[in-house]
């Protein structure tokens, strides 16, 4: 069961925990640590958003990171790397590619291109200058292309708050009615936008509000696809 599959199972990796960092003062093992960052040196290193470097000792299974630019990983931190500062040796338990997006400004937005279909924001956090998302959507046709975009509202944003919205183009692959939902599967993935470029003062904290649209739900699932709930979440950057 990979990371995306766990979205449907309600057990996706909790990236927010990674932002707490870890105490390496006693050089102790740290199991099941989750973080996000950029892959370097042919897939042998990860520059994490927290500012540390992970040197990969081993990757479970047959997966490789050499063709991936940005990644979320579940790993065991083994020890501080010998003769290095702020570098650690790790074993990768699981990983998933992160899609790096360029936010679309509201002034330049083409609704037909970015889409007006709905998608569910499962997680959102800011770390290392990047705004990160775990986004899910319903999918019926495995061959259909589902495009996820992030809109940066350059009209509404101000010195106190930056505004973003999740955009989804299902390209026609969406439920026709409530009965049709049972034919769909919940899919999704991780996405990142370099948000620090929009901060008026890059080194100062600022609020970020993310908005999205999703179906009304109950414990039994999606009850009425003819109605949509508008949701929002606000966080504060470091």
């Amino acid at each position: 069961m990979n990371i995306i599959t766990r979205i449907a199972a309600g057990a996706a990796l909790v990236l927010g925990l990674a932002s707490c960092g870890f105490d390496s003062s006693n050089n102790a093992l740290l199991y099941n640590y989750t973080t996000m960052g950029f892959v370097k040196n042919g897939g042998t290193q990860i520059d994490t958003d927290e500012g540390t470097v992970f040197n990969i000792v081993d990757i479970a299974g047959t997966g490789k990171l050499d063709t991936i630019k940005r990644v979320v990983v579940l790993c065991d931190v083994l020890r501080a790397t010998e003769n290095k500062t702020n570098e650690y040796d790790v074993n990768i338990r699981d990983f998933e590619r992160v899609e790096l997006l360029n936010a679309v400004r509201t002034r330049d937005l083409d609704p037909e291109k970015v889409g007006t279909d709905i998608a569910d924001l499962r997680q959102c956090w800011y770390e290392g200058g990047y705004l990160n998302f775990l986004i899910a959507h319903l999918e019926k046709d495995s061959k259909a292309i589902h495009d996820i975009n992030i809109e940066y509202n350059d009209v509404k944003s101000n010195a106190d708050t930056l505004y973003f919205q999740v955009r989804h183009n299902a390209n026609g692959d969406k439920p026709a009615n409530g009965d049709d939902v049972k034919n769909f599967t919940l899919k999704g993935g991780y996405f990142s936008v370099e948000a620090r470029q929009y901060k008026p003062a890059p080194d100062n904290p600022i609020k970020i509000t993310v908005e999205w649209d999703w179906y009304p739900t109950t414990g039994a699932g999606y009850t009425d696809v003819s109605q949509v709930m508008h949701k929002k979440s606000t966080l504060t950057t470091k």
Side-chain angles (χ1 to χ4, degrees):
M1 181 183 292
N2 62 25
I3 293 173
I4 290 179
T5 304
R6 283 198 288 267
I7 295 173
L13 297 182
V14 182
L15 269 293
L17 297 179
S19 62
C20 298
F22 56 88
D23 181 7
S24 61
S25 58
N26 59 2
N27 201 23
L29 290 172
L30 183 63
Y31 294 103
N32 294 326
Y33 185 76
T34 310
T35 190
M36 186 177 283
F38 287 93
V39 179
K40 302 292 184 181
N41 293 330
T44 63
Q45 288 183 322
I46 298 172
D47 283 350
T48 74
D49 290 349
E50 297 96 316
T52 57
V53 175
F54 282 178
N55 295 300
I56 300 171
V57 176
D58 187 40
I59 301 179
T62 58
K64 294 183 179 181
L65 301 181
D66 55 323
T67 61
I68 296 178
K69 182 176 182 179
R70 186 164 171 81
V71 70
V72 51
V73 297
L74 175 67
C75 65
D76 296 335
V77 181
L78 305 178
R79 55 188 167 265
T81 302
E82 188 175 358
N83 298 323
K84 297 289 184 178
T85 302
N86 212 29
E87 295 191 19
Y88 302 89
D89 297 338
V90 301
N91 283 343
I92 305 297
R93 288 175 171 264
D94 199 0
F95 68 89
E96 195 70 44
R97 181 189 302 269
V98 177
E99 187 171 351
L100 193 59
L101 300 176
N102 291 317
V104 180
R105 293 178 180 268
T106 298
R107 298 177 196 270
D108 303 325
L109 189 110
D110 180 353
E112 290 189 5
K113 184 175 181 180
V114 301
T116 56
D117 300 313
I118 65 178
D120 194 21
L121 179 64
R122 294 302 180 91
Q123 273 186 280
C124 182
W125 70 100
Y126 181 93
E127 187 73 56
Y130 287 84
L131 186 59
N132 306 296
F133 309 83
L134 174 58
I135 299 172
H137 64 268
L138 291 176
E139 182 177 309
K140 181 179 181 180
D141 183 356
S142 60
K143 296 181 180 180
I145 297 175
H146 285 257
D147 296 315
I148 296 294
N149 291 283
I150 303 299
E151 174 188 352
Y152 167 61
N153 194 326
D154 56 342
V155 177
K156 189 176 179 180
S157 294
N158 53 58
D160 298 317
T161 307
L162 303 178
Y163 291 88
F164 295 85
Q165 180 154 340
V166 176
R167 294 288 184 178
H168 172 216
N169 189 342
N171 293 296
D173 186 35
K174 56 185 178 181
N177 51 56
D179 290 337
D180 193 27
V181 171
K182 65 179 181 295
N183 300 313
F184 284 72
T185 302
L186 194 64
K187 299 291 184 68
Y190 292 96
F191 304 85
S192 292
V193 167
E194 187 177 359
R196 59 188 162 202
Q197 61 184 305
Y198 305 115
K199 295 175 65 177
D203 296 329
N204 294 341
I206 193 171
K207 291 182 180 179
I208 294 179
T209 294
V210 180
E211 302 180 48
W212 71 102
D213 296 317
W214 190 238
Y215 300 118
T217 60
T218 67
Y222 310 107
T223 57
D224 187 354
V225 298
S226 67
Q227 298 187 31
V228 171
M229 292 182 64
H230 187 73
K231 304 182 179 183
K232 64 175 61 178
S233 178
T234 299
L235 56 91
T236 301
T237 71
K238 296 180 180 178

